[in-house]
Amino acid sequence: MAQGKLLMRALAGEVLPVPPVWMMRQAGRYLPEYRATRAQAGDFLSLCYNSELAAEVTLQPIRRYRFDAAILFADILLLPQALGARLWFATGEGPRLDPIETAAAAAALKPADAVHEHLAPVYETLRILRRELPAETALIGFAGAPWTVATYMIAGRGTPDQGPAHALKAADPTTFAALIDRLTDATIAYLSAQIEAGAEVVKIFDSWAGSLKGADFDAFALAPAKRITAALKARHPDIPVIAFPRGAGERYAGFARATGADAIALDQGLDAGWAAAHVQKDGCVQGNLDPALLVEGGDRLTAETQRIVRAFAGGPHIFNLGHGITPDADPENVHRMLEAIRGS
Ligand code: CP3
């Protein structure tokens, strides 16, 4: 147990004296070097599909902060694009896709195993990263969870309440379930290929899991995560899976056991003491720090960071934020956070 990358040891259930640390969206607009490389690539999607530059922005926060893990630079919406959906990013407005409003539009998507040609540059980014990362840094691959990806595909954009996806689920449950199934199959194919290209861990981002309630949560958040995890474990038994059912509240309890995930990412809405008792009891946890504290900085950042470290010190823990770091965060505050965790 006493060997290997710290992130992998925590994921295997080891309780470490200092938790390994990385940040959601650690490669991003708060870093001037990211903004420069993005300008060089032209735009966000061109950056995602330029393997050399995507590897470069993945490495930037590792050089600056010596994080224990690098997360592949890509986006959850590359997968729907590989399935045939048109995708673009409207400046200042976030992602746009052609909305899926009919059974015919859902049926016209490509089959799961047709995604690889389009996603080949992403796999190449991972191969570059495995060569270039420091020996102690773990490499995380990722995908969106089927429900979260479906919310963008159905609405054609981000929505505050995922209204269009809930509406399709109610009006045409057959088409909706078929879309979730297609995305589940495609996610298995995509994450398997990421692992074969060098990802040592994979994370499934269900950013909108919190808007699914009761039986819908079981059917469209829990069941797809379980099917993806089981399929990956059958092919790649040693690769840990991190699940992020953001906003799931009390449904966080038991999520790891029900899905087979090795670790659970916690949003900032959860009480750390509750999460230690009800989520960490089943395995590794990561997350919970409010990303707004990296804008605010100061003593509250230090105090909250230390409170989270203490709350999870009794079990396997990876330090992380409850959601992505925002563009207005001060890069110096990340050093302050690291000092509170590592003492350096
Ligand atoms: O460093 C990393 O974390 C790796 C890269 C990464 C990005 N997106 C890059 C990105 C990861 C893991 C994601 C996941 C992602 N993408 C999620 C799930 C996590 C979450 O945030 O809830 C979602 C919902 C998306 C979809 C998406 N991509 C949206 C809604 C937006 C626009 C909002 C925003 O933050 O600008 C994006 C764009 C995006 N993805 C950026 C980055 C660095 C900003 C793009 C830019 O440079 O202009």
Side-chain angles (χ1 to χ4, degrees), residues 300-326:
R300 237 166 58 84
L301 170 60
T302 301
E304 285 296 295
T305 299
Q306 288 172 340
R307 194 176 64 80
I308 288 171
V309 170
R310 275 197 305 276
F312 296 116
H317 177 219
I318 296 164
F319 194 91
N320 206 313
L321 317 182
H323 202 200
I325 186 168
T326 51

Side-chain angles (χ1 to χ4, degrees), residues 5-22 68 242 262-266 272 275-276 279-281 283-289 304-322 340-341:
K5 303 182 186 190
L6 292 176
L7 190 95
M8 306 309 288
R9 289 168 61 182
L11 287 167
E14 199 176 334
V15 184
L16 295 162
V18 175
V21 49
W22 66 281
D68 295 285
I242 305 172
D262 300 86
I264 298 291
L266 309 168
V279 187
Q280 195 185 27
K281 76 172 181 36
C284 188
V285 293
Q286 67 167 29
N288 200 227
L289 186 78
E304 285 296 295
T305 299
Q306 288 172 340
R307 194 176 64 80
I308 288 171
V309 170
R310 275 197 305 276
F312 296 116
H317 177 219
I318 296 164
F319 194 91
N320 206 313
L321 317 182
I341 301 165

Side-chain angles (χ1 to χ4, degrees), residues 24-29 34 38 44 71-77 89 94-95 142 152 205 207 323:
M24 283 180 60
R25 289 278 175 100
Q26 63 192 21
R29 287 161 292 180
Y34 169 85
R38 181 174 174 272
F44 172 64
I71 182 160
L72 164 72
F73 189 83
D75 197 83
I76 66 165
L77 300 176
F89 278 76
F142 73 91
Y152 289 95
F205 287 91
S207 303
H323 202 200

Side-chain angles (χ1 to χ4, degrees), residues 97-304:
L97 303 99
D98 289 331
I100 291 191
E101 284 158 333
T102 61
L109 294 170
K110 292 181 191 167
D113 56 10
V115 300
H116 299 304
E117 193 182 330
H118 182 90
L119 295 166
V122 176
Y123 309 146
E124 179 59 17
T125 306
L126 288 163
R127 283 190 287 268
I128 297 170
L129 286 166
R130 273 309 284 271
R131 288 198 299 271
E132 296 196 0
L133 276 170
E136 66 275 17
T137 315
L139 179 56
I140 304 173
F142 73 91
W147 160 249
T148 286
V149 174
T151 66
Y152 289 95
M153 294 176 81
I154 294 165
R157 59 196 301 159
T159 47
D161 58 359
Q162 297 75 59
H166 286 290
L168 183 70
K169 171 161 58 65
D172 188 349
T174 308
T175 296
F176 178 80
L179 178 60
I180 294 289
D181 265 353
R182 176 75 58 95
L183 287 169
T184 304
D185 290 337
T187 304
I188 292 166
Y190 184 35
L191 290 177
S192 293
Q194 288 189 31
I195 292 165
E196 282 147 27
E200 299 170 280
V201 182
V202 294
K203 179 166 174 182
I204 305 167
F205 287 91
D206 209 349
S207 303
W208 299 117
S211 81
L212 291 169
K213 304 295 176 199
D216 277 351
F217 185 88
D218 293 325
F220 304 120
L222 204 145
K226 179 178 179 177
R227 187 150 84 76
I228 293 164
T229 305
L232 294 176
K233 296 276 177 195
R235 296 184 200 178
H236 306 286
D238 299 331
I239 300 293
V241 174
I242 305 172
F244 181 36
R246 186 169 79 98
E250 63 188 23
R251 298 301 312 266
Y252 260 104
F255 199 84
R257 259 179 298 130
T259 58
D262 300 86
I264 298 291
L266 309 168
D267 61 62
Q268 65 265 28
L270 294 171
D271 175 75
W274 181 89
H278 294 94
V279 187
Q280 195 185 27
K281 76 172 181 36
D282 294 328
C284 188
V285 293
Q286 67 167 29
N288 200 227
L289 186 78
D290 186 345
L293 287 164
L294 291 163
V295 182
E296 182 183 314
D299 291 343
R300 237 166 58 84
L301 170 60
T302 301
E304 285 296 295

